[in-house]
Amino acid sequence: MSLATKYTPEAVEAKWYQYWMEHKFFSSQVDHSKEAYTIVIPPPNVTGVLHMGHMLNNTIQDVLVRKARMQGKNACWVPGTDHASIATEAKVVAMLKDMGIDKKSLSREEFLTYAWEWKEKYGGIILEQLKKLGASCDWDRTKFTMDADLSDAVISVFVDLHKKGKIYRGIRMVNWDPQGKTALSDDEVIMKEIQSKLYYIRYQIEGSEDFLTIATTRPETIMADVAICINPNDPRFTHLKGKKAIIPLINRAIPIIEDEYVDMEFGTGCLKVTPAHDVNDYELGIKHKLEVIDILNDDGTLNAKAQILVGEDRFVARKKIGKLLDEAGQLDKIEDYKSNVGHSERTNAVVEPKLSLQWFLKMEDITKPALSSVMEDIIQLHPPKFKNMYRSWMENVRDWCISRQLWWGHQIPAYYLPNGEYVVAKTKEEALAQANATYGTDYSISDLIQDEDVLDTWFSSWLWPISVFDSEVFSTGKPNEDLKYYYPTNDLVTAPEILFFWVARMIIAGYEYLGEKPFKNVYLTGIVRDKLGRKMSKSLGNSPDPLELIQNYGADGVRVGMLFSSPAGNDLPFDEKLVEQGRNFANKIWNAYRLVQGWEIDSNLSGDANAASIAWFENRFNQALTEIEDHFEKFRISDALMATYKLIWDDFCSWYLEMIKPAYQAPIDPATHAKTIEFFENILKVLHPFMPFLTEELWHQINERSAENALIVTSWPSAGSFDVNNIAEAAQIFEVVSQIRNIRASKGISPKETFSLTIKTVNAGLYERFEAVLKKLANLDSVSFGDSLDNAISFVVKADECFIPMAGQVNVEEERENITKELEYTKGFLQSVMKKLSNERFVAGAPEAVVANEKKKQADAEAKIKALEEALRKLS
RNA sequence: GGAAGUUUAGCUCAGCUGGUUCAGAGCAUCUGCCUUACAAGCAGAGGGUCGGGGGUUCGAAUCCCUCAACUUCCA
């Protein structure tokens, strides 16, 4: 019957997770008699291993799901993984390289075979790790973004949007890695500050002997210039308006255009416009309808359009052209200059802005309902400060480039025809039929060539809240039973970093395909950082191994540690101390149970002495639960946890259990015992979402229970009403206890030495009700009422004077000093109150309740002053 | 360069529309305790001019202006 003095999580956690799985507590089926509560997991990358960010994110989801389940809702948490085109392809390429295989030597099919093998082997690791955390996902519903049905959904959506005219092919500037010969996403580009040079080049004005000078870091691109741009407000250049300039060395005339975009302060105030090789210039080119001259090959060498230096590498060309310009007398000077230059994360090559043909989704119309639903709080962001960011992005949204030059992913269902046209269809067969019908041709399957590229990974994950339930609705338009029941989902928990990439796009897809929001609440977590404030990352090696943490502190401890200091949207500065605190908390509860389970019950005993304590805790529990519910309501999860923590540690353990605890080896009365077990059970219920393993273990220790009575499916307690007055009275008693303990501590008197307490009060009834508690907690042999005592240490609580006789031990000077100090403070306080009350404008202007309050403060302070003054008189 | 946010105890943060216990919590620190549930613990204590300055108000951590520092997003 004796339990270990320390809680050991390992065995307990494995046991209960298996138990929950066996009894299918995580699984959810459509059940119209119950309200659905749905969360879809932000699918982690298949390349991923569990990191601290996942821990935080999934702990929050599990807390929400477990609470909803206990509240009788049909809780469904759908897990899954994301195929992560770029990251996975990079992993597979690296793996092949280790095996001595070059990706270029493989066909697409061969490569994909390796990729799938890799996915089967490593893709599920992260989900297994989530189980260790206690995640109560419905594992039977596990999905992968490249599952056949989900892929089908992605292709249907592409075809559909293309048919609606929302998807088009267009030119776009991408980050090109000339070494890897591939486009990079912005995330794969690392900006580095580079010491470079600013070349000042002289361009002759057509039909005159004048020159204008332009500063550029990229002189090798002058052959691609199509205009010179000046700021129309710049008085230095008014004479150039409408003229033309001549590109040095190749002597091509280009127009001088005007745009306020030009920074008059930078360089010479003149800008050369090279649309093919600079993003900003490209925009400028579109605005002014300029042609585009691309002088670079894919490998970064100059092509024939450059006319000179053809075949030279861009950096070699830069040096050479500097020399040529100098020789031609058209190089004014060269200055040192620091600039930020993008480098390829993988090859470290300097990234070249390059125009290429890509697929786009028109965003202008499709985003409208997604913007308004968030602005009108139909979908609520927590914390709401992210609404601003969301709006600015949605209002300035650019068309979404959805193609990627990769193989791992959903291949774009566009088929090119020998006649130079293309068709978009779900299958090659359909494409063929469509092609022949449209163009009156007689092509065969082998004439069709499918687009090489795959779709952006977000183009599949934006369908996630829909496609995990119903992958066919995109083509049929008819939602299945699952979708009708579970959609819209309730809460989405994710990181603010992907608010635009993912969250916004899910909202867009939700309205586009179902005319309904995908979720009601978006809880945005912070970033987990190390003590130095750095983001935790594998490359820095500053992230603890989550599984090791679970091993060392228990899953419950880790969950609590993660949540302790993570208000929504705020970064979490992680410190192992937090997890230790979580572990200690688990141990505290474990020991509280050890105490309670060790009691013997004597049915002859009366529980009268404990009635006041029981009544107080009942009130306090209901008060705390009300607060906790309020925190949950507002998605203040860490506050909800802290309130629970304090309820258990401070109120239940430190006060309540001490109040009712029988003397050593003495039995307890049945009424108190029963009540205490009831309180304990309620506490376990409230704590379960945060610490599922420990609570389920103790739940079954308290009583043998059948599966349907397991804690995970027990109903959540509802907060009853509570008597604030009773709680305040108890607080007054606690204050007296603390004061007496303080006297012992400051005078070095052993807690074993008993005191007798005399109280001067008009409210003796209160102290009588709590007499047993006072005696036990302050170690008193008697509590009596009466007038002031001599030779006693005194203190004042509210307006009541308390005396502890202490012949010979009273240091009169010290006592006087203490009381005087408090008296001074109280007088000062009273003065400030009186100042307000004597101010007519305050009395007239402030609300009635505020004035009444000040009057009450006045009365309390006056009573206290009276008591203190009397105590002081007694001393002399 | 454009926009937003943050600044309260040693650390991490609460403090809603100005007015109870308005200066709080947890951790950390200090002191005393191996008191038979728990030293992963118990009891007690100290600690802040609410970033600086100005203003509005009877009254400002809270509203306004300004300066400074940090962070993030966009370019």
Side-chain angles (χ1 to χ4, degrees):
Chain A
M1 190 59 179
S2 76
L3 295 167
T5 59
K6 297 219 177 347
Y7 169 60
T8 45
E10 301 96 70
V12 169
E13 291 177 0
K15 176 176 70 180
W16 292 114
Y17 202 84
Q18 200 189 348
Y19 178 90
W20 294 326
M21 291 284 279
E22 272 168 14
H23 291 93
K24 300 257 172 222
F25 289 134
F26 302 160
S27 79
S28 168
Q29 267 109 44
V30 173
D31 175 356
H32 291 284
S33 69
K34 283 166 120 184
E35 184 188 340
Y37 176 86
T38 318
I39 292 186
V40 291
I41 204 169
N45 289 353
V46 280
T47 60
V49 289
L50 199 66
H51 61 62
M52 299 304 285
H54 294 126
M55 297 279 278
L56 174 64
N57 183 269
N58 288 290
T59 298
I60 292 167
Q61 291 176 70
D62 197 45
V63 167
L64 296 174
V65 165
R66 284 180 184 270
K67 179 167 186 271
R69 189 181 291 120
M70 290 176 76
Q71 286 174 311
K73 294 175 188 166
N74 188 350
C76 182
W77 182 11
V78 182
T81 46
D82 179 303
H83 66 278
S85 284
I86 297 169
T88 308
E89 181 145 336
K91 283 255 180 196
V92 175
V93 169
M95 177 193 77
L96 289 171
K97 201 177 166 193
D98 285 345
M99 294 162 63
I101 302 170
D102 185 357
K103 180 190 160 190
K104 283 182 207 129
S105 71
L106 299 177
S107 70
R108 185 182 194 109
E109 284 66 33
E110 286 166 336
F111 177 81
L112 289 178
T113 306
Y114 282 114
W116 275 104
E117 272 174 21
W118 187 91
K119 186 264 168 187
E120 291 309 323
K121 197 164 168 194
Y122 302 106
I125 291 178
I126 194 159
L127 298 182
E128 289 308 310
Q129 291 175 322
L130 282 179
K131 294 179 180 173
K132 294 273 186 293
L133 187 66
S136 59
C137 303
D138 183 352
W139 298 108
D140 299 335
R141 291 180 180 269
T142 304
K143 291 283 190 287
F144 174 55
T145 47
M146 276 172 69
D147 283 344
D149 52 343
L150 269 65
S151 299
D152 198 55
V154 172
I155 300 306
S156 297
V157 165
F158 185 96
V159 172
D160 176 66
L161 290 172
H162 181 264
K163 201 186 290 169
K164 288 174 181 163
K166 290 189 193 307
I167 284 180
Y168 66 95
R169 280 186 103 198
I171 298 279
R172 152 126 168 198
M173 188 77 62
V174 296
N175 301 305
W176 184 258
D177 176 348
Q179 206 171 314
K181 289 189 193 166
T182 176
L184 302 174
S185 72
D186 290 347
D187 302 333
E188 297 168 296
V189 176
I190 300 165
M191 299 306 283
K192 290 186 195 166
E193 194 167 78
I194 293 290
Q195 185 60 254
S196 58
K197 295 195 187 316
L198 206 50
Y199 292 75
Y200 286 76
I201 303 171
R202 288 152 49 90
Y203 287 61
Q204 193 176 0
I205 309 298
E206 193 181 45
S208 85
E209 287 306 306
D210 286 344
F211 286 85
L212 61 79
T213 307
I214 290 173
T216 178
T217 56
R218 302 204 62 189
E220 75 278 13
T221 63
I222 60 169
M223 291 81 80
D225 287 353
V226 295
I228 300 291
C229 190
I230 57 172
N231 192 310
N233 306 318
D234 196 332
R236 294 176 294 177
F237 302 123
T238 39
H239 65 286
L240 296 178
K241 288 182 185 177
K243 302 236 169 97
K244 286 190 166 187
I246 298 169
I247 299 174
L249 306 179
I250 59 167
N251 298 321
R252 181 158 51 80
I254 52 175
I256 294 171
I257 59 168
E258 299 166 52
D259 198 292
E260 293 192 349
Y261 162 77
V262 179
D263 182 353
M264 293 190 276
E265 308 294 319
F266 183 82
T268 60
C270 289
L271 179 75
K272 71 195 239 350
V273 184
T274 322
H277 302 295
D278 183 278
V279 178
N280 296 313
D281 289 11
Y282 180 64
E283 303 281 330
L284 209 53
I286 291 173
K287 189 168 162 191
H288 293 272
K289 299 194 168 58
L290 301 171
E291 67 173 317
V292 174
I293 302 173
D294 186 345
I295 60 162
L296 288 176
N297 293 313
D298 284 354
D299 62 359
T301 57
L302 272 60
N303 65 26
K305 287 187 193 148
Q307 300 178 39
I308 54 171
L309 300 171
V310 174
E312 296 280 9
D313 178 77
R314 52 193 170 144
F315 297 109
V316 176
R318 183 177 302 171
K319 284 206 180 108
K320 288 194 174 170
I321 205 155
K323 207 169 163 204
L324 291 174
L325 285 166
D326 197 20
E327 285 164 5
Q330 289 186 288
L331 184 64
D332 204 20
K333 59 177 171 177
I334 300 177
E335 277 181 357
D336 284 336
Y337 178 71
K338 267 191 188 134
S339 63
N340 276 318
V341 178
H343 290 71
S344 167
E345 186 180 51
R346 275 183 260 158
T347 65
N348 201 34
V350 172
V351 167
E352 189 66 46
K354 183 177 167 60
L355 291 169
S356 66
L357 201 53
Q358 304 284 341
W359 291 92
F360 290 89
L361 175 59
K362 279 187 202 164
M363 295 298 270
E364 201 184 331
D365 294 328
I366 206 170
T367 50
K368 279 178 184 153
L371 172 60
S372 58
S373 66
V374 169
M375 286 303 114
E376 289 160 22
D377 287 329
I378 295 164
I379 295 171
Q380 281 185 286
L381 305 186
H382 303 275
K385 68 176 178 186
F386 288 106
K387 276 168 81 173
N388 263 336
M389 270 169 66
Y390 183 87
R391 184 181 55 211
S392 71
W393 188 76
M394 292 295 262
E395 282 177 350
N396 301 298
V397 68
R398 306 170 77 179
D399 285 353
W400 177 10
C401 177
I402 52 174
S403 43
R404 294 289 181 273
Q405 289 67 54
L406 298 163
W407 282 348
W408 176 246
H410 305 104
Q411 192 173 357
I412 292 173
Y415 300 86
Y416 299 98
L417 311 176
N419 66 3
E421 303 286 341
Y422 69 85
V423 290
V424 168
K426 283 190 77 169
T427 63
K428 207 168 189 178
E429 289 70 26
E430 281 178 42
L432 179 67
Q434 199 182 312
N436 286 334
T438 309
Y439 300 106
T441 48
D442 192 21
Y443 296 137
S444 60
I445 283 281
S446 58
D447 292 322
L448 271 57
I449 298 168
Q450 187 171 1
D451 195 300
E452 281 288 300
D453 292 350
V454 297
L455 290 160
D456 181 13
T457 307
W458 300 114
F459 196 82
S460 59
S461 44
W462 75 323
L463 308 176
W464 188 249
I466 302 171
S467 60
V468 295
F469 297 112
D470 184 350
S471 58
E472 290 173 7
V473 66
F474 303 101
S475 43
T476 63
K478 287 192 189 113
N480 67 14
E481 287 306 306
D482 264 19
L483 190 61
K484 277 194 251 174
Y485 181 70
Y486 292 111
Y487 191 96
T489 70
N490 293 69
D491 306 328
L492 179 82
V493 181
T494 190
E497 303 163 293
I498 52 172
L499 183 58
F500 312 137
F501 286 132
W502 191 45
V503 180
R505 285 166 181 163
M506 283 190 287
I507 300 174
I508 293 169
Y511 282 105
E512 179 70 16
Y513 284 98
L514 299 176
E516 173 66 286
K517 61 184 175 287
F519 27 71
K520 299 183 187 86
N521 295 291
V522 180
Y523 179 104
L524 297 151
T525 63
I527 296 165
V528 183
R529 297 180 182 278
D530 69 5
K531 277 188 233 176
L532 301 173
R534 297 173 306 180
K535 191 173 169 176
M536 284 193 170
S537 75
K538 221 187 292 172
S539 51
L540 276 174
N542 59 347
S543 175
D545 176 359
L547 294 179
E548 219 167 273
L549 280 179
I550 289 175
Q551 189 74 34
N552 295 339
Y553 297 96
D556 290 326
V558 175
R559 292 164 66 107
V560 164
M562 297 299 301
L563 290 179
F564 259 138
S565 149
S566 62
N570 274 25
D571 286 357
L572 165 66
F574 182 78
D575 189 332
E576 208 157 312
K577 277 251 157 72
L578 292 168
V579 174
E580 198 180 308
Q581 196 184 343
R583 178 200 62 178
N584 294 354
F585 185 41
N587 200 49
K588 181 74 187 176
I589 298 159
W590 177 259
N591 277 291
Y593 179 69
R594 281 184 68 222
L595 172 71
V596 172
Q597 65 92 34
W599 287 336
E600 237 173 82
I601 303 163
D602 183 343
S603 53
N604 298 316
L605 288 178
S606 146
D608 293 353
N610 291 326
S613 302
I614 290 168
W616 164 72
F617 189 77
E618 192 126 42
N619 279 312
R620 177 62 201 129
F621 177 81
N622 282 319
Q623 183 188 42
L625 184 54
T626 305
E627 284 165 16
I628 291 164
E629 292 285 15
D630 185 52
H631 287 314
F632 270 117
E633 181 88 8
K634 293 172 175 137
F635 283 88
R636 296 191 300 229
I637 310 293
S638 61
D639 289 336
L641 171 61
M642 187 50 76
T644 308
Y645 179 83
K646 287 201 276 193
L647 169 71
I648 295 173
W649 200 307
D650 299 344
D651 296 312
F652 187 67
C653 294
S654 294
W655 287 113
Y656 176 76
L657 288 180
E658 294 297 335
M659 285 155 91
I660 56 122
K661 180 164 120 181
Y664 180 55
Q665 287 190 335
I668 194 164
D669 68 89
T672 304
H673 183 261
K675 260 311 194 187
T676 303
I677 293 293
E678 183 191 317
F679 291 154
F680 213 122
E681 288 184 341
N682 279 336
I683 273 170
L684 292 178
K685 290 177 194 171
V686 176
L687 189 61
H688 179 80
F690 297 110
M691 305 181 95
F693 295 108
L694 169 74
T695 51
E696 188 76 82
E697 169 69 18
L698 292 181
W699 182 253
H700 292 265
Q701 291 260 357
I702 288 174
N703 251 320
E704 276 198 26
R705 316 201 196 228
S706 61
E708 64 260 33
N709 290 314
L711 182 56
I712 186 175
V713 288
T714 294
S715 22
W716 182 260
S718 57
S721 61
F722 54 92
D723 178 1
V724 189
N725 204 37
N726 175 271
I727 292 167
E729 285 179 339
Q732 194 174 329
I733 297 297
F734 297 163
E735 174 64 17
V736 172
V737 171
S738 291
Q739 289 280 3
I740 296 172
R741 285 171 175 171
N742 188 6
I743 289 168
R744 280 211 176 80
S746 65
K747 303 220 176 290
I749 300 169
S750 161
K752 286 173 183 156
E753 196 172 319
T754 58
F755 287 162
S756 46
L757 174 67
T758 300
I759 310 168
K760 187 182 173 200
T761 178
V762 293
N763 193 11
L766 166 64
Y767 295 95
E768 279 162 356
R769 256 193 293 138
F770 282 99
E771 187 179 336
V773 169
L774 276 171
K775 282 182 170 169
K776 193 187 288 181
L777 298 189
N779 194 20
L780 304 173
D781 49 29
S782 71
V783 176
S784 60
F785 303 96
D787 251 341
S788 317
L789 293 184
D790 292 328
N791 284 322
I793 293 182
S794 69
F795 56 90
V796 176
V797 174
K798 293 260 182 184
D800 297 345
E801 273 176 275
C802 300
F803 300 92
I804 295 179
M806 208 166 282
Q809 290 213 52
V810 180
N811 181 332
V812 177
E813 269 318 301
E814 203 180 292
E815 285 303 299
R816 181 177 293 135
E817 207 175 299
N818 287 343
I819 296 173
T820 309
K821 225 161 125 191
E822 202 176 350
L823 187 60
E824 291 301 312
Y825 176 85
T826 313
K827 279 182 172 169
F829 178 73
L830 178 63
Q831 211 167 15
S832 79
V833 173
M834 292 312 290
K835 200 173 142 196
K836 276 190 212 173
L837 285 170
S838 60
N839 182 334
E840 275 176 41
R841 297 173 73 179
F842 170 74
V843 179
E848 217 171 297
V850 174
V851 177
N853 219 337
E854 291 301 314
K855 286 193 174 149
K856 186 172 179 300
K857 274 155 85 177
Q858 179 196 353
D860 288 351
E862 279 170 351
K864 187 160 187 178
I865 287 168
K866 207 174 137 203
L868 285 167
E869 279 173 341
E870 196 168 335
L872 207 53
R873 246 197 324 276
K874 275 282 158 196
L875 274 178
S876 49

